[in-house]
Amino acid sequence: MIKITLKDGSVKEYPKGTPVIEITNDISRGLAKNALAAKLNGKKIDLQSPVNEDSTLEILTFDSEEGPDIYRHSTSHIMAQAVQHLFPGTKFGIGPAIADGFYYDFDAVENFSPDDLAKIEEEMAGIIRADLPFERLEVSRDEALKMFKKAGENYKVELINDLPEDAVISCYRQGDFVDLCAGPHVPSTGKIKSVKLMNLAGAYWRGSEKNKMLQRIYGTSFPKKSLLDEYIFRLEEAKKRDHRKLGAELDLFSVQDEGPGFPFFHPKGMILRNELENFWREEHKRSRYEEIRTPLILNRSLWEQSGHWDHYQENMYFTQIDDIDFAVKPMNCPGSILIYKSKLHSYRDLPIRLAELGLVHRHELSGTLHGLMRVRCFTQDDAHIFMLRSQVTEEIIGVIDLIDRFYKVFGFEYHVELSTKPEKAMGSDEIWDMAIDSLKKAMETRGMEYKINEGDGAFYGPKIDFHLRDCLGRTWQCGTIQLDFVMPEKFDLVYIGEDGQKHRPVMIHRVVFGSIERFIGILIEHFAGAFPIWLSPVQVKVLTVTDRGLEYAREIHDVMEQNGIRAEIDGRNEKIGYKIREAQLEKVPYMLVIGDREVDNKTAAVRKRGVGEKGNIGVSEFIEEVLEDIRLKR
RNA sequence: GCCGAUGUAGCUCAGUGGUAGAGCAGCGCACUCGUAAUGCGCAGGUCGUGAGUUCAAGUCUCAUCAUCGGCUCCA
């Protein structure tokens, strides 16, 4: 007999070699019905696996952390089987689970069409109905190679060859389909209930553009139709919030054929943008930054000196002036450095924090452009901090605090990631290690948790990235803090120390919004266009019931404008319901309805976005409330 | 850049080789109206662009541009 410790701490005894499924049945019928796989001593296994020693056992259902991945992974095998049935000769790439679903990459004889997805779904339904068991087969490396070579599965052969020496090579079979796979899988195809194939896309084998492009089918699956419906509903919600759609509807910005990746900001979008910049300037002044502005176009020699010529050329735009080569800036740092170098600095002056709302241009691949989120020119809310080595930790903490303050204003939560030395890097390992340690130290001092991204740093230094989470749970990289010992060296930056000698300062490059354009895109989607009042392009709309109210409406409109409130009058000859509907679609935070009653009592009937009618109120009282909301950025 | 799809009026879309359509928006007129769409009328398009096939092209072919979904890349 062996002892099995369950998740709740209870211990049960079973004969050695009892399959997990029997233990599960013994625990509870309900659990056995929902069980997908299990975790034995922390290792994920199939329900059919026998237990041979004293162990801790956790049964995984769809509701467990690992459940959905196992469920979707099994679904991807079913999809592959369906494709094999319908499109003989197709070779198979990989088919993992991803967040919210799965995909499988195929090298098919012919391209799939969107109509094929429906056919594949149908075939999958048949496989699911057949309730084929998933069988695990462990094979030797030679057997595996022989089997997949014979089948002409060259991608699988490549995968097997790349497996570590000591790896257990396993395959899973359901019916007539066998796939190389570590597992685990659900017990049988019948476990899969609601499947939807979402879309079709090209994807390079192993993610490298040097390799062949395979066809990827994305899909998802759920144990209940209601969960699938809910998921599809969420996707539709996200679509409704799409900043490209709302940006056009709310007349905030546009992207035109004449400028792919170069967004146009319309008057209302500019209000939003200027509010963000005003807030940014206030906060940076308070944190003792000085604002600068550097030119968009600078001489080639500068970019050679900074290393951008060698490390960033493929993303840069070039031009000539009087036969001399110039580049459009892809980053603001060299300009900022030139300002630092324009005079001699004492150690007493440091740290010097030079902030710049800098418009940068970067050549992005045409296929990647996306509204305001991925563009070819954008404004970084940049700053470069020149400081003593002894000031590094304190300055980094200062930036972390600043970023934290900003995101809280918008109600964003975030997590941070630390990126280390990339392949295309400048500077010695020693300098990099020192820089990475400084960033770690600052985060640890502040008690922050962080994830490490090996090899993901900028070419001149490691960085901390801030990923904020929007109301739909999606994450966006916005703020970054990059520590740089390399540029000061390249540009021979100095300050005069206490000893009267020249010393080398250290630099921080950092952004808070990241890109103002992208940040606006995120705000649009986060708030679904219903911005907090301090950002709303129109804060109050005054609606007249008849033109008898027009004069009084103008009066209160003027008072609001004098108080700095962005107000508009809708005095058109339309029914009040029509005007309300329109203002509602414009997502204006407050409407004031003006009819004969309001004119007579010198009040306004307030209608608040998301609340509805709030009753009548004196105009000055209303203005005070609105101003308070704006001031507190509610 | 690569794979796939799409491109018809300001917007959303219909139009399967034979005279370009609808709704909304716009403009005009009437209605002076109380919390999410008043009625009637008018105007609006070299069908993304360029070639080609055809007696005839929005519709078929090719090229090209842009957009969308991904890959890759990143703020």
Side-chain angles (χ1 to χ4, degrees):
Chain A
M1 297 296 269
I2 50 165
K3 286 197 177 75
I4 301 294
T5 310
L6 299 173
K7 210 184 169 192
D8 62 4
S10 63
V11 179
K12 291 193 169 192
E13 290 202 350
Y14 296 95
K16 190 175 167 189
T18 306
V20 177
I21 186 69
E22 281 181 28
I23 298 174
T24 314
N25 255 315
D26 186 51
I27 299 168
S28 128
R29 275 288 161 80
L31 184 63
K33 194 170 153 243
N34 290 322
L36 302 175
K39 232 158 99 178
L40 190 70
N41 299 322
K43 198 173 158 259
K44 283 181 277 185
I45 56 161
D46 298 308
L47 291 177
Q48 295 87 334
S49 315
V51 185
N52 293 316
E53 55 189 17
D54 291 355
S55 308
T56 58
L57 180 70
E58 185 188 342
I59 306 302
L60 300 175
T61 65
F62 193 81
D63 298 322
S64 65
E65 197 190 328
E66 298 90 344
D69 274 10
I70 294 167
Y71 195 83
R72 270 80 179 250
H73 186 189
S74 296
T75 316
S76 91
H77 277 229
I78 295 171
M79 179 168 79
Q81 185 178 15
V83 167
Q84 191 177 57
H85 289 172
L86 295 172
F87 304 93
T90 301
K91 289 186 235 174
F92 297 85
I94 56 166
I98 51 173
D100 292 333
F102 62 88
Y103 66 78
Y104 211 114
D105 287 343
F106 302 104
D107 185 356
V109 182
E110 276 181 60
N111 281 339
F112 299 133
S113 75
D115 295 339
D116 291 336
L117 293 189
K119 287 182 206 148
I120 296 168
E121 265 183 26
E122 213 171 291
E123 185 68 21
M124 288 173 77
I127 295 166
I128 289 167
R129 245 180 278 120
D131 197 17
L132 306 167
F134 277 93
E135 289 172 73
R136 180 183 172 91
L137 319 160
E138 286 184 11
V139 292
S140 71
R141 184 172 294 254
D142 286 347
E143 282 172 313
L145 284 172
K146 212 172 121 192
M147 183 165 82
F148 286 105
K149 269 183 189 157
K150 194 177 152 207
E153 294 288 352
N154 47 315
Y155 301 101
K156 298 292 177 188
V157 170
E158 195 181 322
L159 291 173
I160 295 165
N161 282 329
D162 285 355
L163 288 172
E165 278 297 312
D166 57 345
V168 177
I169 297 177
S170 58
C171 295
Y172 277 78
R173 179 211 305 276
Q174 84 266 21
D176 56 2
F177 179 77
V178 182
D179 198 357
L180 176 73
C181 184
H185 278 285
V186 301
S188 66
T189 59
K191 277 274 171 193
I192 307 301
K193 299 298 177 197
S194 282
V195 180
K196 178 143 181 79
L197 301 187
M198 308 299 294
N199 49 25
L200 196 55
Y204 300 108
W205 168 238
R206 303 198 132 183
S208 165
E209 53 193 307
K210 293 186 193 88
N211 292 334
K212 183 165 183 185
M213 181 160 274
L214 308 180
Q215 294 191 77
R216 175 172 297 178
I217 300 178
Y218 285 90
T220 191
S221 59
F222 291 88
K224 272 192 199 161
K225 183 159 186 307
S226 61
L227 290 171
L228 174 65
D229 290 344
E230 212 174 280
Y231 173 70
I232 291 169
F233 178 77
R234 254 203 344 268
L235 288 183
E236 278 163 10
E237 275 306 292
K239 222 187 224 166
K240 275 190 220 155
R241 288 165 176 263
D242 190 311
H243 75 286
R244 292 165 300 184
K245 186 166 136 53
L246 286 172
E249 281 171 13
L250 301 176
D251 200 14
L252 301 173
F253 72 93
S254 58
V255 187
Q256 321 245 1
D257 283 5
E258 289 79 357
F262 301 119
F264 288 65
F265 278 83
H266 298 200
K268 287 191 170 139
M270 275 313 286
I271 290 174
L272 180 55
R273 193 182 166 119
N274 284 332
E275 284 298 335
L276 290 174
E277 292 187 1
N278 292 344
F279 169 56
W280 184 88
R281 288 200 166 92
E282 276 167 33
E283 286 294 325
H284 281 73
K285 204 167 149 193
R286 189 175 303 167
S287 302
R288 297 173 199 277
Y289 283 76
E290 300 170 283
E291 189 174 355
I292 58 168
R293 169 155 285 173
T294 68
L296 259 60
I297 297 175
L298 292 164
N299 192 299
R300 164 177 174 167
S301 63
L302 178 77
W303 302 106
E304 285 172 344
Q305 194 178 0
S306 68
H308 286 86
W309 192 267
D310 289 335
H311 293 92
Y312 211 72
Q313 197 175 146
E314 56 194 32
N315 285 296
M316 292 169 68
Y317 297 111
F318 301 95
T319 187
Q320 281 204 330
I321 301 174
D322 295 341
D323 297 327
I324 299 167
D325 291 334
F326 282 77
V328 182
K329 69 175 176 183
M331 293 187 194
N332 302 303
C333 34
S336 187
I337 286 170
L338 291 184
I339 291 185
Y340 178 87
K341 272 178 77 97
S342 66
K343 67 177 195 184
L344 201 56
H345 298 281
S346 152
Y347 71 95
R348 292 180 221 265
D349 302 335
L350 303 185
I352 291 174
R353 307 184 187 92
L354 299 180
E356 172 173 19
L357 291 169
L359 179 64
V360 297
H361 287 70
R362 296 183 185 176
H363 180 72
E364 297 292 343
L365 296 177
S366 59
T368 66
L369 302 178
H370 181 94
L372 294 179
M373 301 298 196
R374 169 59 55 76
V375 291
R376 284 179 173 156
C377 77
F378 57 98
T379 310
Q380 289 185 304
D381 64 317
D382 218 341
H384 298 92
I385 303 174
F386 302 87
M387 68 210 149
L388 310 175
R389 286 207 171 186
S390 60
Q391 293 169 329
V392 168
T393 306
E394 193 185 337
E395 284 305 308
I396 293 170
I397 290 173
V399 177
I400 292 173
D401 287 340
L402 182 72
I403 293 177
D404 183 64
R405 229 172 31 244
F406 263 75
Y407 291 176
K408 280 197 176 128
V409 166
F410 300 96
F412 287 126
E413 289 174 10
Y414 61 89
H415 73 271
V416 293
E417 296 180 8
L418 173 67
S419 295
T420 58
K421 191 174 182 183
E423 267 176 48
K424 261 179 134 187
M426 294 193 311
S428 67
D429 285 350
E430 211 183 341
I431 278 187
W432 274 82
D433 288 344
M434 188 165 54
I436 290 166
D437 280 346
S438 307
L439 291 175
K440 281 186 180 167
K441 201 177 144 204
M443 287 194 283
E444 274 151 25
T445 307
R446 220 175 160 283
M448 294 165 75
E449 281 182 23
Y450 59 90
K451 188 180 131 186
I452 293 186
N453 278 335
E454 292 296 348
D456 235 12
F459 69 80
Y460 46 77
K463 59 179 182 171
I464 303 175
D465 291 324
F466 289 72
H467 296 255
L468 55 79
R469 172 179 285 269
D470 72 12
C471 65
L472 295 177
R474 300 171 301 183
T475 60
W476 304 91
Q477 196 207 306
C478 290
T480 76
I481 306 174
Q482 306 175 351
L483 189 57
D484 180 4
F485 291 88
V486 174
M487 289 290 164
E489 204 69 43
K490 288 249 158 202
F491 282 93
D492 192 26
L493 299 187
V494 294
Y495 65 88
I496 304 299
E498 219 171 340
D499 56 1
Q501 300 298 306
K502 287 181 177 173
H503 297 275
R504 189 75 74 212
V506 185
M507 271 177 85
I508 287 175
H509 311 238
R510 45 109 283 183
V511 290
V512 182
F513 291 136
S515 140
I516 306 257
E517 288 76 4
R518 179 182 285 183
F519 198 80
I520 288 173
I522 295 165
L523 286 181
I524 292 171
E525 302 201 353
H526 180 62
F527 292 115
F531 303 108
I533 191 163
W534 68 284
L535 291 171
S536 291
V538 178
Q539 294 168 320
V540 181
K541 208 156 173 182
V542 185
L543 313 177
T544 53
V545 178
T546 71
D547 27 358
R548 287 193 299 277
L550 207 49
E551 198 187 329
Y552 177 60
R554 287 205 184 101
E555 223 173 89
I556 56 182
H557 170 264
D558 290 352
V559 184
M560 284 192 282
E561 280 209 325
Q562 280 155 22
N563 280 282
I565 295 170
R566 296 186 287 270
E568 272 183 6
I569 298 180
D570 187 346
R572 290 175 306 170
N573 197 358
E574 292 291 349
K575 285 174 88 170
I576 190 66
Y578 180 85
K579 296 185 189 181
I580 286 169
R581 177 183 154 80
E582 213 160 85
Q584 193 85 21
L585 292 175
E586 285 166 29
K587 303 180 195 277
V588 175
Y590 284 102
M591 290 174 228
L592 297 182
V593 175
I594 304 300
D596 292 340
R597 282 204 297 277
E598 286 69 29
V599 176
D600 292 344
N601 341 319
K602 295 286 169 199
T603 60
V606 178
R607 196 176 213 279
K608 188 173 180 173
R609 183 184 64 200
V611 177
E613 284 184 72
K614 284 191 69 186
N616 279 48
I617 184 175
V619 173
S620 55
E621 198 185 324
F622 171 74
I623 289 177
E624 244 160 71
E625 266 180 32
V626 168
L627 288 176
E628 183 73 353
D629 280 356
I630 294 172
R631 199 174 60 77
L632 295 173
K633 300 192 163 43
R634 284 199 286 229

